[in-house]
């Protein structure tokens, strides 16, 4: 259990104090004092490890099941004794050009916050340290934690979108480069990038509905004065979603342009092949005619017939080559 619990503390009047090792005692203290709350952070707990926590905090079984299984969409669910929020932090590995999404669940209730993290992409440590330096915000209780975590996750969406924009510009330059590159590698890179954009959209898109609900009154366990702050988070999320949609549209345009370029290149190659085939066909035709074993053929007994035929072949070849060259086929 100690390895699963990343951090546990009671925040009294916005300031951290180490809570008792027994969670039920710590929760009772936080509830008794009125201006305090307990923040428990966990990392990938098993069912047995989380059963103790869920029973002591009175968490809903359906929310507990979602928190244990992970692979959830961003969402907001309201239960009788708690509020359940799912976020999907993302990280972008520039070296591997991959977007990795993890999952972060928050349970908000009467004087407690329980965070459950799956994966490595999580801003919790930095958020906790930053909040502990701002006791005025922490005085608002569990709502302050929900706002700070949501704000950190969404702000990182914008940073990842900016990094993806830079990589997309590099891919665009590669597609429209005057020097030909390996079309198979370029097409594979475009499709791989499109998969990363899709992974990103799965994290940002579904979060719009929970953020909209948090701005409205009537959501339990959320401080009424926190609505303007969640409105600010929603504005940032809208920017992130617009960036992702723009990246997806631009990537589709790049893919279409790349496919069109491939078609043009294939036509150029076919024209060149046809031109060289025509150049080879002329002397082959003439030589084939005079290679037939007939006695009565024109100019067979003319002493200058052989050089004359060669001259005709060369002249036709030069004329055809100039015609194809002028039309850009060679």
């Amino acid at each position: 259990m100690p390895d699963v619990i990343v951090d546990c503390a009671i925040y009294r009047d916005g300031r951290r104090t180490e809570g008792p090792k027994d969670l039920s005692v710590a929760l009772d203290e936080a509830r008794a004092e009125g201006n305090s709350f307990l923040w428990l952070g966990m990392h990938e707990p098993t069912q047995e490890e989380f059963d103790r926590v869920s029973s002591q905090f009175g968490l809903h079984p359906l929310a507990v099941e979602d928190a244990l299984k992970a692979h959830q969409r961003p969402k907001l669910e309201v239960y009788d004794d708690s509020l359940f929020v799912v976020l999907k932090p993302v990280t972008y590995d520039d070296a591997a050009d991959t977007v990795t999404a993890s999952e972060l669940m928050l349970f908000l209730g009467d004087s407690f916050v329980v965070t459950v993290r799956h994966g490595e992409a999580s801003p919790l440590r930095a958020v906790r340290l930053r909040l502990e330096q701002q006791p005025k915000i922490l005085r608002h209780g569990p709502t302050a934690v929900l706002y700070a975590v949501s704000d950190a996750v969404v702000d990182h969406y914008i940073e990842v979108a900016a990094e993806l924009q830079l990589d997309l510009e590099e891919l665009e330059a590669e597609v429209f480069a005057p020097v030909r590159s390996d079309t198979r590698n370029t097409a594979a890179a475009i499709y791989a990038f499109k998969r990363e954009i899709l992974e990103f959209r799965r994290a940002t898109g579904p979060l719009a509905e929970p953020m909209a609900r948090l701005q409205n009154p009537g959501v339990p366990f959320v401080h009424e004065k926190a609505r303007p702050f969640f409105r600010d988070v929603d504005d940032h999320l809208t920017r992130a979603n617009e960036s992702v949609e723009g990246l997806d549209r631009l990537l589709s345009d790049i893919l279409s342009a790349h496919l069109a370029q491939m078609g043009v290149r294939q036509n150029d190659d076919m024209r060149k092949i046809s031109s060289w085939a025509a150049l080879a066909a002329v002397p082959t035709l003439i030589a084939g005619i005079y290679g037939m074993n007939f006695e009565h053929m024109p100019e067979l007994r003319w002493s200058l017939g052989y050089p004359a035929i060669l001259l005709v072949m060369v002249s036709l070849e030069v004329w055809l080559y100039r015609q194809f060259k002028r039309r850009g086929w060679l």
Side-chain angles (χ1 to χ4, degrees):
M1 193 74 171
D3 293 335
V4 176
I5 296 180
V6 179
D7 200 351
C8 179
I10 295 178
Y11 292 87
R12 293 180 170 88
D13 198 25
R15 300 190 180 277
R16 178 188 177 109
T17 60
E18 296 301 326
K21 294 183 178 180
D22 188 278
L23 295 178
S24 60
V25 174
L27 183 58
D28 290 340
E29 288 186 7
R31 286 173 173 170
E33 295 177 5
N35 61 342
S36 303
F37 72 95
L38 175 67
W39 185 354
L40 173 66
M42 306 184 71
H43 179 244
E44 297 183 355
T46 63
Q47 183 170 356
E48 294 76 15
E49 293 167 338
F50 200 57
D51 282 344
R52 178 187 170 195
V53 174
S54 61
S55 61
Q56 292 178 344
F57 286 83
L59 305 180
H60 197 278
L62 293 177
V64 171
E65 182 181 357
D66 290 343
L68 289 173
K69 289 185 177 180
H71 304 293
Q72 303 294 319
R73 287 163 54 91
K75 61 182 179 178
L76 168 65
E77 294 181 348
V78 179
Y79 297 99
D80 293 336
D81 299 323
S82 63
L83 188 69
F84 181 59
V85 181
V86 179
L87 304 173
K88 292 183 75 71
V90 298
T91 56
Y92 183 64
D93 186 352
D94 189 57
D97 293 337
T98 56
V99 174
T100 304
S102 60
E103 293 190 32
L104 181 60
M105 289 80 168
L106 295 93
F107 295 87
L108 276 74
D110 181 17
S111 302
F112 73 84
V113 178
V114 177
T115 55
V116 181
R117 178 167 60 92
H118 291 269
E120 299 301 325
S122 175
L124 282 183
R125 179 175 177 81
V127 170
R128 188 186 285 262
L129 293 175
R130 186 166 61 250
L131 278 175
E132 289 174 356
Q133 297 174 0
Q134 298 174 314
K136 289 184 179 180
I137 297 179
L138 272 176
R139 289 194 186 103
H140 291 88
T143 305
V145 177
L146 176 60
Y147 160 70
V149 173
S150 303
D151 187 56
V153 170
V154 172
D155 283 347
H156 194 61
Y157 286 163
I158 298 176
E159 296 175 6
V160 173
E163 294 178 359
L164 288 172
Q165 179 67 41
L166 293 177
D167 287 343
L168 187 59
E169 290 175 359
E170 294 178 1
L171 184 60
E172 183 180 16
E174 179 182 346
V175 169
F176 294 102
V179 179
R180 292 188 180 186
S181 59
D182 190 342
T183 57
R184 291 174 298 179
N185 291 341
T186 302
I190 293 175
Y191 278 109
F193 203 95
K194 200 167 184 64
R195 284 197 300 270
E196 304 307 321
I197 296 295
L198 179 60
E199 182 71 15
F200 195 16
R201 293 187 69 173
R202 288 172 180 167
T204 62
L207 188 57
E209 189 268 341
M211 287 297 108
R213 289 179 61 187
L214 289 172
Q215 301 175 48
N216 298 324
V219 179
F221 309 109
V222 176
H223 200 283
E224 291 295 328
K225 294 183 178 179
R227 280 182 288 169
F229 296 96
F230 287 110
R231 189 178 302 118
D232 180 68
V233 175
D234 187 57
D235 290 340
H236 292 178
L237 180 62
T238 301
R239 286 176 50 196
N241 281 323
E242 290 175 351
S243 298
V244 174
E245 292 175 2
L247 290 172
D248 189 49
R249 287 195 300 268
L250 183 57
L251 191 60
S252 298
D253 293 341
I254 291 175
L255 178 60
S256 300
H258 177 66
L259 295 177
Q261 282 184 334
M262 291 179 61
V264 171
R265 291 176 182 177
Q266 289 176 351
N267 290 335
D268 289 341
D269 293 338
M270 288 302 300
R271 284 198 295 265
K272 290 183 179 181
I273 293 172
S274 300
S275 300
W276 288 113
L279 290 172
V282 171
T284 302
L285 175 64
I286 297 175
I289 292 175
Y290 278 91
M292 294 187 292
N293 296 322
F294 292 107
E295 291 186 4
H296 303 288
M297 293 186 69
E299 315 303 341
L300 283 179
R301 301 186 181 280
W302 183 32
S303 59
L304 298 178
Y306 180 69
I309 290 298
L310 290 180
L311 180 62
V312 170
M313 288 182 181
V314 172
S315 299
L316 288 174
E317 291 292 290
V318 171
W319 181 78
L320 285 174
Y321 181 82
R322 287 182 175 177
Q323 292 296 320
F324 293 144
K325 195 72 173 177
R326 188 181 350 177
R327 290 179 176 151
W329 287 26
L330 289 175

